């Protein structure tokens, strides 16, 4: 413990219990609780009242804002809260998690995972066994049910709810207050309750570096909705067809 303190800034009111391992230059704020098997890299900031419990591993340069909770038992309602002894929460590098967000431990697998450069705004909920891929943005009040996967660089609007066991494809955009109860195609821009496809997500494609010719082709395809038997070497379409092999039921009715 003394060696940890020498290389990190730990507030005297913080509580550290269990097997706590840190790199260097971490800032542990007032009333932070680290309890269990906790491992972190370098240059992380845990602000007032952050709580890590059970099995939590984080990388480098992450920021956790006040009252964030990571690692609590998975919520199962009438089945009772559950915990996999060997399981835990894994968080990558350069992740920002804002105030009052909860990230729960796995129930059915061995990991709830948040990949690099994810930004989760305040009052978010990441349930057991979720996977959030790199570069995802979850706006304020987004709720993810158990076993949800969010593809890389997707953007989920404020107050949206994603039902359990749903896969949102990469570079998708979900409108605020949407209710997602079916798998969402990569590059789809969707919204509503229940959610429907509005159009191809041009902004997501541009950020991925897809050229204008291929973007225009996909915009036309999403406008017609004639996905069946469509063939193209378009990189966006190749990503969509790969997704459809695993989730053939994810074609949503166009708005």
């Amino acid at each position: 413990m003394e060696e940890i303190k020498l290389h990190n800034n730990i507030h005297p009111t913080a509580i550290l219990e269990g097997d706590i391992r840190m790199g260097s230059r971490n800032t542990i704020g007032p009333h932070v609780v680290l309890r269990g098997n906790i491992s972190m890299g370098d240059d992380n900031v845990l602000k007032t009242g952050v709580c890590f419990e059970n099995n939590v591993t984080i990388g480098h340069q992450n920021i956790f804002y006040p009252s964030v909770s990571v690692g609590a038992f998975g919520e199962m309602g009438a089945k009772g809260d559950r915990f996999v002894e060997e399981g835990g929460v894994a968080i990558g590098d350069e992740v920002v998690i804002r105030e009052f967000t909860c990230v729960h431990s796995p129930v059915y697998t061995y990991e709830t995972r948040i990949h690099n450069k994810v930004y989760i705004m305040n009052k978010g909920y990441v349930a057991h066994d979720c996977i959030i891929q790199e570069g995802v943005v979850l706006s304020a009040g987004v709720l993810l049910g158990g076993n949800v996967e969010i593809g890389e660089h997707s953007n989920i609007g404020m107050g949206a709810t994603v039902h359990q066991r749903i896969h949102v494809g990469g570079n998708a955009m979900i409108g605020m207050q949407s209710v997602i109860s079916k798998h969402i195609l990569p590059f789809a821009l969707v919204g509503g309750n229940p959610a429907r496809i509005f159009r191809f997500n041009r902004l997501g494609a541009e950020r991925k570096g897809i050229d204008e010719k291929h973007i225009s082709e996909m915009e036309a395809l999403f406008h017609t909705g004639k996905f069946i038997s469509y063939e193209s070497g378009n990189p966006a379409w190749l990503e969509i067809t790969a997704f459809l092999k695993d989730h053939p039921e994810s074609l949503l009715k166009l708005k």
Side-chain angles (χ1 to χ4, degrees):
M1 186 66 71
E2 289 301 321
E3 183 177 352
I4 288 176
K5 289 182 178 179
L6 284 173
H7 297 92
N8 298 281
N9 180 13
I10 302 176
H11 194 275
T13 63
I15 298 173
L16 281 66
E17 297 178 351
D19 184 7
I20 313 298
R21 304 185 184 190
M22 299 185 194
S24 299
R25 301 178 302 278
N26 295 290
T27 299
I28 309 301
H31 306 292
V32 167
V33 177
L34 305 179
R35 181 178 288 124
N37 300 309
I38 312 298
S39 176
M40 66 179 70
D42 305 326
D43 302 298
N44 297 289
V45 177
L46 280 61
K47 295 179 180 287
T48 303
V50 169
C51 180
F52 287 3
E53 54 186 324
N54 300 311
N55 304 320
V56 178
T57 301
I58 70 172
H60 310 291
Q61 300 179 351
N62 301 292
I63 303 177
F64 300 85
Y65 279 77
S67 301
V68 167
S69 173
V70 179
F73 285 15
E75 295 177 328
M76 298 294 291
K79 298 178 182 178
D81 296 344
R82 295 186 183 178
F83 178 68
V84 177
E85 291 290 340
E86 302 84 358
V89 177
I91 297 175
D93 304 329
E94 300 180 55
V95 172
V96 175
I97 301 184
R98 296 300 304 258
E99 299 85 349
F100 302 104
T101 292
C102 295
V103 181
H104 283 170
S105 289
V107 169
Y108 297 112
T109 64
Y110 291 104
E111 193 171 68
T112 300
R113 171 168 283 276
I114 299 174
H115 287 260
N116 300 339
K117 298 182 179 179
V118 169
Y119 194 109
I120 302 178
M121 298 185 192
N122 69 88
K123 302 181 182 68
Y125 174 56
V126 180
H128 59 86
D129 304 286
C130 283
I131 299 174
I132 303 178
Q133 299 288 359
E134 182 169 332
V136 167
V137 175
L138 303 184
S139 297
V142 168
L143 308 177
L144 305 183
N147 291 100
V148 163
E149 180 171 356
I150 307 296
E152 62 179 6
H153 303 291
S154 290
N155 191 309
I156 314 298
M158 185 167 55
T161 301
V162 183
H163 192 272
Q164 60 192 22
R165 296 185 293 275
I166 292 298
H167 188 174
V168 175
N171 303 284
M173 181 173 288
I174 310 299
M176 67 172 63
Q177 301 292 335
S178 297
V179 176
I180 308 301
S181 56
K182 294 183 179 179
H183 302 303
I184 302 297
L185 294 176
F187 297 101
L189 192 155
V190 307
N193 179 9
R196 295 289 186 268
I197 293 177
F198 284 96
R199 58 183 179 274
F200 180 75
N201 182 20
R202 166 177 280 271
L203 180 59
E206 290 174 344
R207 288 174 173 170
K208 192 175 177 66
I210 295 176
D211 62 43
E212 179 61 32
K213 176 183 176 181
H214 287 130
I215 290 174
S216 296
E217 178 189 353
M218 288 296 98
E219 286 182 323
L221 176 62
F222 272 66
H223 180 70
T224 63
K226 296 180 180 180
F227 297 102
I228 305 301
S229 301
Y230 189 82
E231 295 185 6
S232 173
N234 188 312
W237 179 245
L238 294 177
E239 189 170 332
I240 291 169
T241 54
F243 186 89
L244 286 171
K245 288 180 181 178
D246 294 327
H247 307 293
E249 73 281 19
S250 59
L251 288 175
L252 301 180
K253 182 179 179 181
L254 289 168
K255 186 77 172 178

